[in-house]
Amino acid sequence: MFITGFRAVASISRRKAVDTAAKRLHTDRSDTEPRQITRLRKNFDAQLADLSKRNSELERLNSSMEAAIDHMGRGLSMFDSEQRLLVCNKAYADVYMLPPELTAPGTPFIEILRYHLKQTAGADTSGKGAAEWIQDHIARLQIEGHVEEVQRLADGRVIRVSYRPLAGGGWVDMQEDITAQRRSDEKIEWLARHDTLTEIPNRFHFREHLTKQFATYDTRKGFALLWLDLDHFKDVNDQLGHLVGDGLLKSVADRLRSCLRAGDIVGRLGGDEFAILQCGADRPELAEALARRVLDRIRLPHEVAGHSLFTDVSIGIALAPTHGQTPEQLLASADLALYQAKSRGRGLHAVFCQQTMGTPASVLSPLRAELEHAVERSELVLHYQPIVDLQKGEVSCCEALMRWKHPSRGMIAPADFIPIAEETKLIVSMGKWALEQACSDALDWPASTKVAVNLSAVQIECGDIYETVTDVLAQTGLPPARLQLEITESVLMRDRARTQEVLRKLHDLGVMISLDDFGSCFATLSYLHSFPFRKIKLDRSFVRDIPQHRDCVTIVKSVADLARELEMHSVAEGVETAACLTTVRDAGYSEAQGFYFSPAVRASGVERALRLCAQRFSAATAPTDTQHIPNIYA
């Protein structure tokens, strides 16, 4: 029974389980369809939300990318396989100044190309249109894979463009404005080859031009090299400062440029040295003509920082291929020619002499060795040039001019040996001899006639010139009032304090101090009241050039007015014609000196020269046609 009963219970339990399962099955069948739709909707909503989120993220990234591309420093554009614009940034449009309609996606590249080729300076599309240019461009990309070029736009900008092909056809390009970089590079290149002060080629670049000239010149025509050196430039720096010296160098460089023809080159070799490469100069006469033109222009006053500066230049000339067939040979020849010009007195030009090529400097100037014995052998002589008083019409003074009577070379002018004497300091002993001789000769002249002797800066620096003068006056017995010492402006710049002290003592002694060659060097008006001058001698160049340069008349008159205001005597040098004499008389000069009255004569001829100068003065001031006065010295 337990088992039966158990089985009955089990049977009942099984039936209940089956019934329950049946009920559940019926219930599941009725709920399946709504639940699936709900689940699908939930999945769809979830996917839609995710897609929306991803799209928002993509839009954000796209916006960031667009902003980054638009704000990048370079231009960027992409074109598809059909050469249509895919995308470009603002920088690309700005580079080529494209209108908005040409920056829209889908714009054919050929339209953009036609537009910006018009903006490109020097774009060479002659012989082929824009379509052909595109074909060549695509072919290059396929072959080279990467193409880079530099474009110069009409407004002066320089653009570097880099092209790279895309995998599916087309390309991407980038534009970079390298204008500032190019200008910087060009400036660095320019600085490497030019003198920054004068803005002309430096030694390196001038040498490049010279080397190129040797490689390309026509041997039938040749060319010339002129080597220039400013005379006494160191005095400007020492006395007026480097700023004024720099200003003078700039002015000289400008003058040199103005002397050149097309194709000629001027360069600064360093310091106060310049050089000119003269093309097509197949004869010395052509180079000498240029040298004379340079000398004339350099001698005109240079207005620098409130100073009116006067300077001169020495020039050495060498011609290719006669004087050198390489740059080194030609430079060496020009250098030797420059030395020759300086040894002859500076302010001159000299053409290289073939016979002296490669000769040592000591051999080039045999006068240097012989000059030492000139005094002891009594080879030096003094000639005297009269100075006429324009009020009294008589000779007031005679200037002593040293000559060298060489036993084999004949009479040598001071310009040929005085520079050597100064360099070797022989001028000290030579100057003492000249002072003694001049004072002794003056004793034979009328008591109203003074004697003028030139002083060198070396005499003041290296010798006791005050003691020398006092000793000579004591020995000869010449009154101090009859002695006139002449110094040039360059002397004042050597040792200003010492020079001022020495000249003051000589002035107190009763000796007249005269400023010679006024206006020929680096004068400043401060010298006229700082030093005890009683006379100003205007440089002969101003008077001599009166017929050719009427503006010289203004300068001549201004100096006379200046001397009168300062209560000084004024002397006009270089009076060679009656017209010049009339000009300086009308300007108010006290005295005049020049070939019109008399050349320099020997001591034995001074008495006759005094009489003839008075006759010349009377003839010039007589109411007759002075243009036809006979030359009594002919």
Side-chain angles (χ1 to χ4, degrees):
M1 287 186 60
F2 176 77
I3 295 175
T4 306
F6 178 77
R7 288 179 177 174
V9 172
S11 176
I12 294 170
S13 297
R14 283 197 298 271
R15 286 197 299 267
K16 289 181 178 180
V18 171
D19 290 341
T20 301
K23 290 178 181 180
R24 288 179 179 176
L25 179 60
H26 177 74
T27 301
D28 288 343
R29 286 177 179 174
S30 60
D31 292 341
T32 297
E33 184 175 349
R35 288 181 179 180
Q36 287 179 344
I37 293 174
T38 300
R39 190 165 49 248
L40 288 174
R41 284 178 179 174
K42 288 182 178 180
N43 289 340
F44 177 78
D45 290 341
Q47 292 176 3
L48 185 61
D50 183 62
L51 184 61
S52 178
K53 182 179 178 181
R54 291 185 181 183
N55 187 59
S56 297
E57 181 68 19
L58 184 60
E59 288 180 357
R60 187 184 66 79
L61 292 174
N62 187 53
S63 178
S64 298
M65 182 64 68
E66 287 180 356
I69 292 175
D70 267 345
H71 288 85
M72 66 188 298
R74 300 182 182 183
L76 180 143
S77 63
M78 297 177 65
F79 294 88
D80 61 20
S81 59
E82 296 181 357
Q83 297 95 50
R84 292 183 177 275
L85 181 64
L86 293 174
V87 65
C88 71
N89 63 0
K90 184 177 183 299
Y92 175 78
D94 290 343
V95 165
Y96 299 115
M97 294 179 288
L98 298 176
E101 60 269 19
L102 291 180
T103 61
T107 303
F109 176 62
I110 193 168
E111 294 182 13
I112 300 174
L113 177 62
R114 285 170 179 165
Y115 181 87
H116 74 66
L117 278 180
K118 295 178 182 178
Q119 315 301 317
T120 305
D124 183 11
T125 57
S126 60
K128 59 182 179 178
E132 287 79 3
W133 188 95
I134 294 175
Q135 291 178 0
D136 292 344
H137 174 67
I138 294 174
R140 287 183 62 192
L141 284 175
Q142 292 175 345
I143 296 173
E144 301 176 22
H146 174 240
V147 175
E148 189 170 287
E149 64 183 20
V150 174
Q151 300 174 355
R152 291 186 176 271
L153 305 187
D155 59 4
R157 288 177 298 149
V158 182
I159 309 298
R160 178 190 290 127
V161 186
S162 175
Y163 303 93
R164 289 186 181 276
L166 295 175
W171 68 90
V172 58
D173 57 48
M174 298 187 69
Q175 292 76 24
E176 180 183 7
D177 190 332
I178 59 170
T179 307
Q181 177 185 333
R182 275 299 174 95
R183 288 175 180 171
S184 177
D185 293 343
E186 291 170 359
K187 183 65 175 178
I188 293 173
E189 179 72 13
W190 188 91
L191 290 173
R193 286 175 161 76
H194 290 79
D195 174 52
T196 55
L197 175 65
T198 60
E199 298 184 349
I200 61 177
N202 58 16
R203 177 185 289 270
F204 171 75
H205 195 28
F206 185 84
R207 179 62 180 268
E208 285 184 329
H209 282 294
L210 182 60
T211 302
K212 182 179 179 180
Q213 186 69 17
F214 266 103
T216 59
Y217 81 107
D218 186 345
T219 55
R220 295 170 299 177
K221 295 182 179 180
F223 62 93
L225 175 64
L226 286 72
W227 196 322
L228 304 88
D229 183 57
L230 291 184
D231 296 332
H232 306 297
F233 175 72
K234 183 177 182 296
D235 296 335
V236 182
N237 279 338
D238 291 345
Q239 299 299 323
L240 301 179
H242 288 280
L243 288 179
V244 176
D246 288 348
L248 179 59
L249 290 174
K250 293 173 66 175
S251 180
V252 167
D254 291 339
R255 300 274 179 90
L256 293 178
R257 272 194 294 248
S258 70
C259 293
L260 304 184
R261 304 170 306 171
D264 295 343
I265 302 295
V266 61
R268 183 185 178 197
L269 303 185
D272 59 348
E273 292 186 345
F274 297 84
I276 294 176
L277 185 59
Q278 184 186 18
C279 301
D282 55 349
R283 303 187 309 276
E285 294 82 5
L286 296 177
E288 289 185 281
L290 174 57
R292 285 190 292 270
R293 189 160 66 249
V294 167
L295 288 170
D296 289 342
R297 295 192 185 179
I298 295 299
R299 285 168 180 160
L300 295 175
H302 301 259
E303 302 299 330
V304 179
H307 300 274
S308 186
L309 307 180
F310 292 84
T311 188
D312 225 325
V313 63
S314 299
I315 305 176
I317 302 173
L319 287 87
T322 306
H323 301 150
Q325 298 183 8
T326 65
E328 292 76 13
Q329 292 176 355
L330 197 65
L331 285 167
S333 297
D335 189 22
L336 291 175
L338 177 61
Y339 174 82
Q340 293 168 359
K342 288 184 176 180
S343 65
R344 284 161 46 187
R346 302 176 185 268
L348 303 169
H349 71 271
V351 179
F352 177 72
C353 179
Q354 185 67 38
Q355 286 74 14
T356 62
M357 187 170 184
T359 308
S362 58
V363 179
L364 282 173
S365 183
L367 298 180
R368 187 182 294 268
E370 298 177 35
L371 187 59
E372 186 174 353
H373 306 292
V375 177
E376 56 190 60
R377 294 174 181 172
S378 300
E379 294 175 1
L380 298 178
V381 297
L382 291 181
H383 286 187
Y384 298 93
Q385 186 173 32
I387 300 173
V388 177
D389 187 316
L390 297 182
Q391 297 298 321
K392 299 179 180 179
E394 61 185 30
V395 175
S396 58
C397 183
C398 289
E399 181 182 1
L401 302 171
M402 190 180 297
R403 301 287 189 268
W404 182 3
K405 189 177 181 180
H406 195 278
S408 60
R409 302 173 187 271
M411 197 67 72
I412 301 177
D416 294 330
F417 67 86
I418 291 297
I420 300 175
E422 291 182 328
E423 291 178 7
T424 58
K425 305 298 189 295
L426 288 173
I427 194 66
V428 176
S429 59
M430 292 166 60
K432 181 179 180 180
W433 169 85
L435 187 62
E436 293 173 349
Q437 188 65 48
C439 290
S440 178
D441 289 342
L443 292 175
D444 297 331
W445 305 342
S448 61
T449 305
K450 302 179 178 65
V451 64
V453 180
N454 293 283
L455 281 186
S456 165
V458 179
Q459 289 176 265
I460 296 177
E461 291 176 349
C462 301
D464 193 338
I465 191 64
Y466 177 77
E467 293 294 335
T468 300
V469 171
T470 54
D471 289 347
V472 169
L473 291 177
Q475 292 173 10
T476 61
L478 186 75
R482 292 190 60 194
L483 176 62
Q484 178 176 303
L485 297 176
E486 298 188 355
I487 65 171
T488 61
E489 297 164 11
S490 60
V491 174
L492 308 178
M493 299 181 180
R494 301 291 282 266
D495 187 342
R496 182 166 180 163
R498 175 174 171 79
T499 302
Q500 191 172 27
E501 178 187 2
V502 171
L503 295 183
R504 180 65 61 184
K505 291 171 63 177
L506 290 171
H507 173 268
D508 294 342
L509 185 64
V511 175
M512 176 178 282
I513 308 298
S514 174
L515 180 58
D516 195 14
D517 297 337
F518 183 75
S520 65
C521 198
F522 318 104
T524 64
L525 296 181
S526 63
Y527 294 153
L528 296 181
H529 66 78
S530 299
F531 294 87
F533 297 118
R534 292 172 57 194
K535 181 181 289 188
I536 299 175
K537 295 185 72 176
L538 178 65
D539 184 66
R540 70 184 70 248
S541 62
F542 296 103
V543 178
R544 181 188 58 209
D545 291 343
I546 286 176
Q548 292 79 28
H549 305 285
R550 297 306 302 173
D551 55 344
C552 288
V553 176
T554 303
I555 298 175
V556 169
K557 188 176 187 308
S558 298
V559 174
D561 293 341
L562 176 65
R564 184 165 51 252
E565 290 294 328
L566 296 175
E567 298 182 350
M568 296 181 181
H569 295 277
S570 55
V571 184
E573 296 182 303
V575 175
E576 299 181 359
T577 65
C580 287
L581 176 59
T582 300
T583 300
V584 299
R585 282 189 65 207
D586 293 344
Y589 278 81
S590 310
E591 298 169 306
Q593 179 181 11
F595 287 166
Y596 176 78
F597 290 112
S598 173
V601 298
R602 299 172 184 271
S604 59
V606 169
E607 185 177 352
R608 178 173 180 269
L610 299 184
R611 296 194 307 269
L612 294 179
C613 284
Q615 295 176 18
R616 292 288 285 176
F617 181 83
S618 298
T621 55
T624 58
D625 185 1
T626 57
Q627 302 300 323
H628 301 288
I629 298 175
N631 185 352
I632 59 179
Y633 291 100

